[in-house]
Amino acid sequence: MKKTLTALAMIALLPAGAALADDDCHSPRNQWQTPAAAMRVAQQHGWTVHEFEVDDGCYEIDGRDGDGREIEVKLDPATLQIVEIDHEDDDAR
């Protein structure tokens, strides 16, 4: 019985752990700002955009920052706030 309760407790915690690891965007589509607005955010940050797409419900920008480093940025499409930014050369350090 004790093993069963432990197993059930572990199973119950799995979705919570997955949610904490999830950095995807969940804004309803009717609240999204335009891709042009996301491009203005990129311009304000000094980013050069090489590719723009929707990934996991987020706007994703691949390009370079003002220092020339490769970046991948996820923006919440409703708020245009940065959800995640990855400097591609960080892995080499």
Side-chain angles (χ1 to χ4, degrees):
M1 179 70 170
K2 189 173 184 179
K3 286 183 182 181
T4 302
L5 289 176
T6 302
L8 288 174
M10 294 297 284
I11 291 170
L13 291 175
L14 285 176
L20 291 174
D22 184 349
D23 62 359
D24 300 342
C25 304
H26 303 287
S27 300
R29 187 91 176 182
N30 64 349
Q31 295 179 1
W32 286 20
Q33 296 190 44
T34 65
M39 293 296 106
R40 285 192 295 275
V41 169
Q43 183 180 21
Q44 291 167 355
H45 282 88
W47 303 332
T48 302
V49 177
H50 296 288
E51 186 177 341
F52 179 86
E53 64 184 354
V54 175
D55 184 39
D56 296 327
C58 298
Y59 284 152
E60 184 176 296
I61 295 172
D62 292 323
R64 294 194 176 272
D65 67 10
D67 295 326
R69 295 183 299 174
E70 289 186 37
I71 57 169
E72 179 180 293
V73 181
K74 284 190 175 186
L75 300 176
D76 181 290
T79 65
L80 299 180
Q81 294 296 308
I82 297 171
V83 174
E84 179 182 357
I85 186 165
D86 180 33
H87 291 89
E88 298 296 326
D89 61 345
D90 283 349
D91 295 336
R93 293 181 186 170

